[in-house]
Amino acid sequence: MGEREEQVKVLSQWPSGFCMRVLIGLEEKGVRYEYQEENVLACKSELLLQTNPAHKGVPVLIHEGKPICESVIILQYIDEVWPGSNSFMPSNPYDRALGRFWADFMDTKFLENVVQRILKCTGEAQEEGTRYMLECLGLLEGELSAGGGKPYFAGDQFGFLDIVLIPNSPWFYALETLAKWKIPWDGEFPRLQGWMKRCLERESVKKILQDPLKVSEYAIQLRKAFVTSD
């Protein structure tokens, strides 16, 4: 008899970049999984409330009945449980620490100072968000340019930080739409632009990343909800 197939389930919400990370990670490893769509803003499932009682949010990876929460933690778990030949965590401790640093930077500073301000604010606060976006993208451009330039953030191989960052790609268009502003990719961020194109050629990314137009429509509706609630 063959080996029993592992039970892997993902509680997710389609526009979430955090969820896209987890799904790309599983696709990179070739792990088969069951997908459950959640509506975090309107009606959370009992399973979600049971498996993530602390934050009551997605993503949640349920592996053999045991839940793991928070996208960066889940990615590291996936890499440890299904190591194979395509590990996406860097082997060097310094490179792993660097990847975690930039992941934390994007999940705190970028989310708070860019996404939240552009999505929820108007006027000067929103303009501040666009200025901070330029600063953040400049820092990432510099990181890609370090050492003469590299195709991916950890070097020649697509890996952990690429998986963390590429789900921002469809959201960039949404932020541009909301702010009525265009990111100067060609002029100021050519390495980032090239990096995005390389990532988008990967089967795992093509399969999971959402349509920027669809994400933009979702962001517009989300913004209306925030403005109405204010």
Side-chain angles (χ1 to χ4, degrees), residues 148-160:
K150 47 193 176 182
Y152 299 104
F153 277 95
D156 293 330
Q157 300 297 318
F158 179 83
F160 168 72

Side-chain angles (χ1 to χ4, degrees), residues 120-168:
K120 296 183 178 182
C121 301
T122 58
E124 188 176 336
Q126 191 180 71
E127 290 174 7
E128 231 175 83
T130 59
R131 286 195 294 271
Y132 197 83
M133 178 186 280
L134 287 171
E135 183 180 332
C136 290
L137 294 177
L139 290 170
L140 293 175
E141 179 79 7
E143 184 63 23
L144 276 175
S145 301
K150 47 193 176 182
Y152 299 104
F153 277 95
D156 293 330
Q157 300 297 318
F158 179 83
F160 168 72
L161 191 53
D162 306 298
I163 296 172
V164 166
L165 296 179
I166 194 57
N168 288 298

Side-chain angles (χ1 to χ4, degrees), residues 6 27 31 41 44 66 103 128 141 189 192 200 208 226:
E6 293 182 273
E27 292 291 339
V31 177
L41 296 178
K44 300 175 183 180
K66 297 177 181 178
E128 231 175 83
E141 179 79 7
F189 314 115
L192 266 176
L200 290 169
I208 297 303
F226 285 131

Side-chain angles (χ1 to χ4, degrees), residues 82-146:
W82 296 282
S85 59
N86 59 336
S87 175
F88 44 69
M89 290 299 296
S91 58
N92 181 285
Y94 176 77
D95 290 336
R96 287 200 299 275
L98 197 62
R100 292 182 182 121
F101 167 81
W102 284 112
D104 180 72
F105 173 82
M106 293 300 291
D107 287 355
T108 53
K109 300 297 184 182
F110 187 81
L111 180 64
E112 177 183 345
N113 292 298
V114 177
V115 178
Q116 296 296 337
R117 292 187 186 190
I118 293 177
L119 187 61
K120 296 183 178 182
C121 301
T122 58
E124 188 176 336
Q126 191 180 71
E127 290 174 7
E128 231 175 83
T130 59
R131 286 195 294 271
Y132 197 83
M133 178 186 280
L134 287 171
E135 183 180 332
C136 290
L137 294 177
L139 290 170
L140 293 175
E141 179 79 7
E143 184 63 23
L144 276 175
S145 301

Side-chain angles (χ1 to χ4, degrees), residues 37-46 48-49:
E37 178 71 13
E38 295 282 342
N39 189 336
V40 176
L41 296 178
C43 184
K44 300 175 183 180
S45 72
E46 283 301 317
L48 175 59
L49 296 175

